[in-house]
Amino acid sequence: MKSLTTKLLFGLAAATLAATAVADTTAAPAEVRFAWAGAPRVWVLGKADKSFDQALGVPVKWVQFNTGADVLALFASKQIDIARFGSNPAVSGYAQGLPIELISVPEIITTAEQLVVRADIRDVKGIEGRTIAYPPNSTAQYALEALLDRGHADRTKVKLVPLKPAEIVAAWKRGDIDGAYAWDPAKAQLVADGAHVVFSTGDLRKDGVLIYNNFVVSKEFAAKYPQLVAAFLKNYQKKVEEYRQDPERAAATIAATLDQPLDSVRTALRGMEYPTIAELLSADYLGASANGAPSGIARAQAETAAFLVKAGQLQSTRVPASFVPFNNASFLRQAEN
């Protein structure tokens, strides 16, 4: 009897250890993979001080990309878990059925992305008869198309060329293009070589166009590690507060981390608005409206989808009836506490 009892106890202990082992493997992954563009943004502070690694309790792998299309490919091949990238490639991803969802809007783009042109072009109207480059499937392309759609220049008289950021700089130096709608460091390199700004993305706000960057997560990762998603957002908000408290120090840290000129980093960081979690949970962004209307971001996503269809980058049959299901504010609510 004693032998049987002992065997039962040993069996129960072994089963408990096995269950614990399974629980441990789901409690945290070996690493968390962030997709980033290598641009000067506030979350780079968390790369510099490794606070994301500390907050998540596992190493963070930073996977660099060039365009939003790259991010979608990385999500599709399950090579990343969380990404910070532009609004319109994300909308394209939702519509195409990628298992991803928006978890936050870290930045509203104002002057971080701009149309920069040669010295003899005095205003936006002056790009008519010229060649203008843009990174394809990006917020910069969306802004460029939006300003043309709203009559700031005659679209039929502007030659548009899709190029990656590094290709934009090379094309400028060769004299192949007369300007570009881009972000730093490419934008800064053109300005250093004689270009000047004639339009900023923030100028579109008066036309009712909201262009932003988003944090997007793999649904599989979010379902498996919800505590890590909340911890990520909480640590990001700490980095925003660090920037607000000492913008100069934050800019210097980011410039050193990226090996980019301090002046261009400082300018890029000032070119964004950073909503608080409370603001993001309002109906203006991701919160529910009292009258049941879609949130501000869901409306912006619908407008972005319409643009993508018009631009031939998305089939109309793929556009969902609502983008509300693709926005998950629950992790922001957890991060707020």
Side-chain angles (χ1 to χ4, degrees):
M1 184 73 177
K2 183 178 179 181
S3 175
L4 177 60
T5 302
T6 301
K7 288 180 180 179
L8 285 171
L9 288 173
F10 274 119
L12 286 171
T16 301
L17 285 172
T20 302
V22 171
D24 284 346
T25 62
T26 57
E31 63 182 8
V32 179
R33 301 160 301 174
F34 291 175
W36 73 311
R41 299 292 181 259
V42 167
W43 79 328
V44 175
L45 291 171
K47 184 179 194 298
D49 64 9
K50 292 190 174 296
S51 58
F52 282 119
D53 305 64
Q54 295 163 12
L56 302 182
V58 296
V60 171
K61 179 181 180 181
W62 294 76
V63 181
Q64 195 160 349
F65 65 88
N66 286 312
T67 68
D70 297 337
V71 179
L72 300 184
L74 288 167
F75 270 127
S77 57
K78 297 187 177 183
Q79 294 183 59
I80 55 172
D81 305 305
I82 296 172
R84 177 211 151 276
F85 65 125
S87 50
N88 53 317
V91 166
S92 179
Y94 310 142
Q96 291 174 32
L98 279 180
I100 56 176
E101 60 187 0
L102 182 152
I103 54 172
S104 185
V105 176
E107 304 142 352
I108 305 300
I109 301 170
T110 55
T111 59
E113 296 180 5
Q114 297 173 307
L115 176 59
V116 294
V117 297
R118 297 199 180 275
D120 63 327
I121 301 175
R122 297 191 175 189
D123 53 28
V124 177
K125 191 75 173 173
I127 67 174
E128 294 176 0
R130 301 300 188 97
T131 301
I132 303 298
Y134 63 88
N137 200 15
S138 69
T139 49
Q141 181 193 4
Y142 184 20
L144 176 58
E145 297 277 2
L147 75 86
L148 292 173
D149 284 346
R150 284 154 181 79
H152 294 281
D154 186 341
R155 170 189 295 277
T156 64
K157 297 180 180 178
V158 183
K159 182 179 180 181
L160 302 179
V161 181
L163 296 173
K164 292 181 179 181
E167 295 171 339
I168 286 175
V169 176
W172 172 270
K173 291 183 179 297
R174 290 194 305 268
D176 294 345
I177 60 174
D178 300 298
Y181 211 117
W183 54 82
D184 288 336
K187 182 186 71 171
Q189 289 176 267
L190 267 60
V191 170
D193 198 34
H196 69 110
V197 177
V198 292
F199 195 87
S200 299
T201 294
D203 296 336
L204 290 167
R205 293 287 284 274
K206 60 180 177 290
D207 292 323
V209 180
L210 178 67
I211 301 181
Y212 56 92
N213 289 316
N214 31 221
F215 282 139
V216 172
V217 68
S218 154
K219 284 187 176 181
E220 180 181 356
F221 181 88
K224 197 171 184 181
Y225 308 112
Q227 75 283 5
L228 296 189
V229 178
F232 163 75
L233 293 176
K234 191 162 192 171
N235 190 65
Y236 172 73
Q237 198 58 36
K238 289 180 180 178
K239 300 302 108 177
V240 171
E241 291 307 314
E242 284 181 23
Y243 170 68
R244 285 181 176 144
Q245 290 169 13
D246 196 341
E248 191 62 24
R249 181 179 178 183
T253 298
I254 293 170
T257 302
L258 302 180
D259 192 24
Q260 293 182 12
L262 176 58
D263 284 346
S264 65
V265 169
R266 188 188 293 119
T267 300
L269 294 172
R270 289 174 180 168
M272 301 281 187
E273 292 178 3
Y274 305 97
T276 64
I277 291 180
E279 289 170 337
L280 289 172
L281 290 174
S282 73
D284 288 342
Y285 293 97
L286 293 167
S289 173
N291 61 7
S295 67
I297 291 299
R299 292 195 303 273
Q301 289 166 328
E303 292 167 2
T304 301
F307 153 73
L308 292 171
V309 170
K310 184 177 180 181
Q313 297 177 5
L314 182 64
Q315 295 179 0
S316 59
T317 54
R318 287 187 173 273
V319 178
S322 170
F323 281 91
V324 171
F326 300 98
N327 302 322
N328 188 343
S330 67
F331 302 110
L332 276 173
R333 287 191 286 271
Q334 294 175 46
E336 189 179 32
N337 300 326

